[in-house]
Amino acid sequence: LMSCFSFKQTSVATTGIPVNDGLSDKLNAIFSLVAGTELVCVITLEGVLKSSISRTDCEVIHSSDTIYTIASLKSALERFLKIFQLSGCPIIHISGDYYTFSFYIINAQYLLVFSHQIDSGSGIVADFSVLDDSMVSFLDDLKNTIALST
């Protein structure tokens, strides 16, 4: 897997509370797979929350405005890519000073979105190809779980 673009933005933060369902157990694996992960959610491309899990107790992710904004951001980025005659980008990373947000399209209907902290003082630019490679088997497993739950 390879991400098409990485966009730089300063100061981004988001949190959420867990939704108890079978998908949450699967999403929980990202906390150990990707260091610094704080929030994981699956939403439809239309902006409906399917499942979420977080390390904090804030209700931001359950706001319909937040979910719609996440789905709208994905659509806006796809329109931006068309300017450069690029399309079909299944992975997008948005990196700020302290957090990275990663978006993965699943089964052409859902977005896996998660935020993870980055070490801003290290001066090292994140290598998203390493992250994407580490996600391959997890994404395959998640695709099967989602397909069985719909």
Side-chain angles (χ1 to χ4, degrees):
L1 295 174
M2 191 167 147
S3 56
C4 295
F5 272 84
S6 300
F7 296 91
K8 179 81 172 163
Q9 177 179 321
T10 58
S11 70
V12 176
T14 188
T15 55
I17 59 174
V19 172
N20 293 319
D21 59 26
L23 191 54
S24 294
D25 292 337
K26 187 66 63 186
L27 297 181
N28 218 5
I30 292 182
F31 291 111
S32 59
L33 186 63
V34 181
T37 297
E38 294 189 356
L39 164 74
V40 183
C41 68
V42 173
I43 64 171
T44 67
L45 294 179
E46 294 79 30
V48 177
L49 180 65
K50 184 87 170 148
S51 182
S52 72
I53 190 163
S54 175
R55 293 202 184 268
T56 63
D57 290 330
C58 185
E59 295 187 24
V60 171
I61 196 63
H62 293 279
S63 159
S64 60
D65 288 341
T66 300
I67 300 301
Y68 178 77
T69 299
I70 292 170
S72 296
L73 178 59
K74 171 68 174 103
S75 297
L77 290 171
E78 285 179 342
R79 287 191 302 275
F80 179 75
L81 291 173
K82 286 181 182 178
I83 293 170
F84 300 101
Q85 299 174 345
L86 299 171
S87 63
C89 187
I91 303 168
I92 295 173
H93 301 286
I94 301 172
S95 186
D97 291 338
Y98 303 103
Y99 289 90
T100 293
F101 292 88
S102 297
F103 298 75
Y104 294 84
I105 293 181
I106 306 209
N107 296 346
Q109 298 174 336
Y110 299 97
L111 278 178
L112 168 66
V113 180
F114 60 96
S115 68
H116 41 109
Q117 290 183 331
I118 56 175
D119 184 2
S120 63
S122 70
I124 298 171
V125 176
D127 184 353
F128 294 118
S129 64
V130 171
L131 172 62
D132 295 342
D133 289 346
S134 72
M135 292 291 293
V136 170
S137 64
F138 174 82
L139 290 170
D140 288 341
D141 196 25
L142 186 61
K143 287 175 186 178
N144 292 333
T145 301
I146 290 174
L148 292 173
S149 71
T150 55

PDB file of all heavy atoms in Angstrom, residues 1 4 15-16 38 41 55 57 71 74 107 110 114 119 122-123 128-129 135:
ATOM      1  N   LEU A   1       0.840  -1.183   0.000  1.00  0.00           N
ATOM      2  CA  LEU A   1       0.000   0.000   0.000  1.00  0.00           C
ATOM      3  C   LEU A   1       0.879   1.237   0.000  1.00  0.00           C
ATOM      4  O   LEU A   1       1.958   1.238   0.569  1.00  0.00           O
ATOM      5  CB  LEU A   1      -0.882   0.025   1.243  1.00  0.00           C
ATOM      6  CG  LEU A   1      -1.922  -1.068   1.374  1.00  0.00           C
ATOM      7  CD1 LEU A   1      -2.583  -0.965   2.742  1.00  0.00           C
ATOM      8  CD2 LEU A   1      -2.945  -1.003   0.293  1.00  0.00           C
ATOM      9  N   CYS A   4      -1.050   8.468  -1.293  1.00  0.00           N
ATOM     10  CA  CYS A   4      -0.857   9.365  -2.430  1.00  0.00           C
ATOM     11  C   CYS A   4      -0.231  10.680  -2.014  1.00  0.00           C
ATOM     12  O   CYS A   4       0.629  11.203  -2.690  1.00  0.00           O
ATOM     13  CB  CYS A   4      -2.195   9.645  -3.110  1.00  0.00           C
ATOM     14  SG  CYS A   4      -2.931   8.192  -3.850  1.00  0.00           S
ATOM     15  N   THR A  15     -10.588  13.532  20.042  1.00  0.00           N
ATOM     16  CA  THR A  15     -10.747  12.431  20.989  1.00  0.00           C
ATOM     17  C   THR A  15     -12.136  11.855  20.834  1.00  0.00           C
ATOM     18  O   THR A  15     -12.948  12.353  20.079  1.00  0.00           O
ATOM     19  CB  THR A  15     -10.564  12.928  22.437  1.00  0.00           C
ATOM     20  OG1 THR A  15     -11.470  14.008  22.651  1.00  0.00           O
ATOM     21  CG2 THR A  15      -9.146  13.374  22.691  1.00  0.00           C
ATOM     22  N   GLY A  16     -12.444  10.808  21.560  1.00  0.00           N
ATOM     23  CA  GLY A  16     -13.760  10.201  21.494  1.00  0.00           C
ATOM     24  C   GLY A  16     -13.963   9.224  22.627  1.00  0.00           C
ATOM     25  O   GLY A  16     -13.093   9.010  23.437  1.00  0.00           O
ATOM     26  N   GLU A  38      -4.491   7.388  19.637  1.00  0.00           N
ATOM     27  CA  GLU A  38      -5.413   7.860  20.669  1.00  0.00           C
ATOM     28  C   GLU A  38      -6.867   7.635  20.296  1.00  0.00           C
ATOM     29  O   GLU A  38      -7.705   7.477  21.160  1.00  0.00           O
ATOM     30  CB  GLU A  38      -5.175   9.341  20.943  1.00  0.00           C
ATOM     31  CG  GLU A  38      -3.821   9.585  21.561  1.00  0.00           C
ATOM     32  CD  GLU A  38      -3.651  10.997  22.046  1.00  0.00           C
ATOM     33  OE1 GLU A  38      -4.557  11.829  21.841  1.00  0.00           O
ATOM     34  OE2 GLU A  38      -2.600  11.270  22.638  1.00  0.00           O
ATOM     35  N   CYS A  41     -11.670   5.107  14.538  1.00  0.00           N
ATOM     36  CA  CYS A  41     -13.090   4.985  14.215  1.00  0.00           C
ATOM     37  C   CYS A  41     -13.268   4.485  12.792  1.00  0.00           C
ATOM     38  O   CYS A  41     -12.379   4.612  11.956  1.00  0.00           O
ATOM     39  CB  CYS A  41     -13.844   6.295  14.429  1.00  0.00           C
ATOM     40  SG  CYS A  41     -13.439   7.624  13.297  1.00  0.00           S
ATOM     41  N   ARG A  55      -8.679   6.310  23.747  1.00  0.00           N
ATOM     42  CA  ARG A  55      -8.001   6.220  25.039  1.00  0.00           C
ATOM     43  C   ARG A  55      -8.486   7.294  26.010  1.00  0.00           C
ATOM     44  O   ARG A  55      -8.042   7.331  27.141  1.00  0.00           O
ATOM     45  CB  ARG A  55      -6.498   6.357  24.848  1.00  0.00           C
ATOM     46  CG  ARG A  55      -5.905   5.196  24.098  1.00  0.00           C
ATOM     47  CD  ARG A  55      -4.426   5.100  24.394  1.00  0.00           C
ATOM     48  NE  ARG A  55      -3.807   4.055  23.610  1.00  0.00           N
ATOM     49  CZ  ARG A  55      -3.659   2.806  24.023  1.00  0.00           C
ATOM     50  NH1 ARG A  55      -4.104   2.442  25.198  1.00  0.00           N
ATOM     51  NH2 ARG A  55      -3.077   1.908  23.249  1.00  0.00           N
ATOM     52  N   ASP A  57     -11.965  10.073  27.345  1.00  0.00           N
ATOM     53  CA  ASP A  57     -13.409  10.052  27.574  1.00  0.00           C
ATOM     54  C   ASP A  57     -14.126  11.278  27.025  1.00  0.00           C
ATOM     55  O   ASP A  57     -15.154  11.678  27.542  1.00  0.00           O
ATOM     56  CB  ASP A  57     -13.701   9.949  29.078  1.00  0.00           C
ATOM     57  CG  ASP A  57     -13.348   8.597  29.632  1.00  0.00           C
ATOM     58  OD1 ASP A  57     -13.439   7.618  28.878  1.00  0.00           O
ATOM     59  OD2 ASP A  57     -12.993   8.524  30.816  1.00  0.00           O
ATOM     60  N   ALA A  71     -15.758  12.926   6.981  1.00  0.00           N
ATOM     61  CA  ALA A  71     -16.171  12.440   5.660  1.00  0.00           C
ATOM     62  C   ALA A  71     -15.997  13.534   4.604  1.00  0.00           C
ATOM     63  O   ALA A  71     -15.563  13.258   3.485  1.00  0.00           O
ATOM     64  CB  ALA A  71     -17.618  11.962   5.700  1.00  0.00           C
ATOM     65  N   LYS A  74     -12.323  13.950   3.538  1.00  0.00           N
ATOM     66  CA  LYS A  74     -11.921  12.927   2.575  1.00  0.00           C
ATOM     67  C   LYS A  74     -12.389  13.329   1.176  1.00  0.00           C
ATOM     68  O   LYS A  74     -11.635  13.240   0.208  1.00  0.00           O
ATOM     69  CB  LYS A  74     -12.501  11.564   2.988  1.00  0.00           C
ATOM     70  CG  LYS A  74     -12.326  10.469   1.967  1.00  0.00           C
ATOM     71  CD  LYS A  74     -10.875  10.075   1.790  1.00  0.00           C
ATOM     72  CE  LYS A  74     -10.714   8.891   0.877  1.00  0.00           C
ATOM     73  NZ  LYS A  74     -10.267   9.214  -0.440  1.00  0.00           N
ATOM     74  N   ASN A 107     -13.374  -1.478   1.728  1.00  0.00           N
ATOM     75  CA  ASN A 107     -14.484  -2.037   0.951  1.00  0.00           C
ATOM     76  C   ASN A 107     -15.262  -0.975   0.172  1.00  0.00           C
ATOM     77  O   ASN A 107     -16.462  -1.114  -0.031  1.00  0.00           O
ATOM     78  CB  ASN A 107     -15.432  -2.834   1.847  1.00  0.00           C
ATOM     79  CG  ASN A 107     -14.775  -4.049   2.455  1.00  0.00           C
ATOM     80  OD1 ASN A 107     -13.700  -4.465   2.028  1.00  0.00           O
ATOM     81  ND2 ASN A 107     -15.399  -4.624   3.460  1.00  0.00           N
ATOM     82  N   TYR A 110     -16.371   2.446   3.488  1.00  0.00           N
ATOM     83  CA  TYR A 110     -16.060   2.910   4.836  1.00  0.00           C
ATOM     84  C   TYR A 110     -14.688   3.558   4.890  1.00  0.00           C
ATOM     85  O   TYR A 110     -13.822   3.283   4.068  1.00  0.00           O
ATOM     86  CB  TYR A 110     -16.076   1.728   5.827  1.00  0.00           C
ATOM     87  CG  TYR A 110     -17.399   1.049   5.905  1.00  0.00           C
ATOM     88  CD1 TYR A 110     -17.642  -0.099   5.162  1.00  0.00           C
ATOM     89  CD2 TYR A 110     -18.421   1.547   6.702  1.00  0.00           C
ATOM     90  CE1 TYR A 110     -18.872  -0.735   5.218  1.00  0.00           C
ATOM     91  CE2 TYR A 110     -19.651   0.924   6.755  1.00  0.00           C
ATOM     92  CZ  TYR A 110     -19.871  -0.215   6.014  1.00  0.00           C
ATOM     93  OH  TYR A 110     -21.082  -0.832   6.060  1.00  0.00           O
ATOM     94  N   PHE A 114      -7.783   7.094  12.109  1.00  0.00           N
ATOM     95  CA  PHE A 114      -7.198   7.088  13.444  1.00  0.00           C
ATOM     96  C   PHE A 114      -6.191   8.213  13.576  1.00  0.00           C
ATOM     97  O   PHE A 114      -5.605   8.672  12.606  1.00  0.00           O
ATOM     98  CB  PHE A 114      -6.598   5.730  13.825  1.00  0.00           C
ATOM     99  CG  PHE A 114      -5.503   5.215  12.948  1.00  0.00           C
ATOM    100  CD1 PHE A 114      -4.171   5.419  13.279  1.00  0.00           C
ATOM    101  CD2 PHE A 114      -5.799   4.491  11.812  1.00  0.00           C
ATOM    102  CE1 PHE A 114      -3.161   4.919  12.483  1.00  0.00           C
ATOM    103  CE2 PHE A 114      -4.790   3.980  11.015  1.00  0.00           C
ATOM    104  CZ  PHE A 114      -3.468   4.196  11.347  1.00  0.00           C
ATOM    105  N   ASP A 119       6.362  12.473  17.345  1.00  0.00           N
ATOM    106  CA  ASP A 119       7.425  13.114  18.112  1.00  0.00           C
ATOM    107  C   ASP A 119       7.890  14.347  17.347  1.00  0.00           C
ATOM    108  O   ASP A 119       8.758  14.262  16.485  1.00  0.00           O
ATOM    109  CB  ASP A 119       8.577  12.126  18.318  1.00  0.00           C
ATOM    110  CG  ASP A 119       9.683  12.709  19.190  1.00  0.00           C
ATOM    111  OD1 ASP A 119       9.534  13.857  19.660  1.00  0.00           O
ATOM    112  OD2 ASP A 119      10.683  12.010  19.400  1.00  0.00           O
ATOM    113  N   SER A 122      11.719  15.491  17.323  1.00  0.00           N
ATOM    114  CA  SER A 122      12.780  14.658  16.759  1.00  0.00           C
ATOM    115  C   SER A 122      13.331  15.200  15.451  1.00  0.00           C
ATOM    116  O   SER A 122      14.442  14.872  15.065  1.00  0.00           O
ATOM    117  CB  SER A 122      12.257  13.240  16.528  1.00  0.00           C
ATOM    118  OG  SER A 122      11.327  13.227  15.460  1.00  0.00           O
ATOM    119  N   GLY A 123      12.548  16.004  14.750  1.00  0.00           N
ATOM    120  CA  GLY A 123      12.970  16.518  13.452  1.00  0.00           C
ATOM    121  C   GLY A 123      12.901  15.468  12.352  1.00  0.00           C
ATOM    122  O   GLY A 123      13.278  15.722  11.218  1.00  0.00           O
ATOM    123  N   PHE A 128       5.423   7.289   6.029  1.00  0.00           N
ATOM    124  CA  PHE A 128       4.102   6.688   5.967  1.00  0.00           C
ATOM    125  C   PHE A 128       4.092   5.363   5.225  1.00  0.00           C
ATOM    126  O   PHE A 128       3.198   4.554   5.423  1.00  0.00           O
ATOM    127  CB  PHE A 128       3.093   7.661   5.351  1.00  0.00           C
ATOM    128  CG  PHE A 128       2.854   8.868   6.219  1.00  0.00           C
ATOM    129  CD1 PHE A 128       3.157  10.131   5.765  1.00  0.00           C
ATOM    130  CD2 PHE A 128       2.355   8.722   7.500  1.00  0.00           C
ATOM    131  CE1 PHE A 128       2.952  11.242   6.570  1.00  0.00           C
ATOM    132  CE2 PHE A 128       2.147   9.821   8.321  1.00  0.00           C
ATOM    133  CZ  PHE A 128       2.444  11.086   7.851  1.00  0.00           C
ATOM    134  N   SER A 129       5.083   5.103   4.393  1.00  0.00           N
ATOM    135  CA  SER A 129       5.125   3.816   3.705  1.00  0.00           C
ATOM    136  C   SER A 129       5.345   2.682   4.713  1.00  0.00           C
ATOM    137  O   SER A 129       4.798   1.598   4.552  1.00  0.00           O
ATOM    138  CB  SER A 129       6.199   3.794   2.616  1.00  0.00           C
ATOM    139  OG  SER A 129       7.480   3.943   3.173  1.00  0.00           O
ATOM    140  N   MET A 135       0.099  -1.951   8.108  1.00  0.00           N
ATOM    141  CA  MET A 135      -1.358  -2.024   8.194  1.00  0.00           C
ATOM    142  C   MET A 135      -1.977  -3.059   7.246  1.00  0.00           C
ATOM    143  O   MET A 135      -3.157  -3.362   7.362  1.00  0.00           O
ATOM    144  CB  MET A 135      -1.959  -0.645   7.880  1.00  0.00           C
ATOM    145  CG  MET A 135      -1.672   0.422   8.909  1.00  0.00           C
ATOM    146  SD  MET A 135      -2.507   0.132  10.468  1.00  0.00           S
ATOM    147  CE  MET A 135      -4.217   0.363   9.977  1.00  0.00           C
TER     148      MET A 135
END
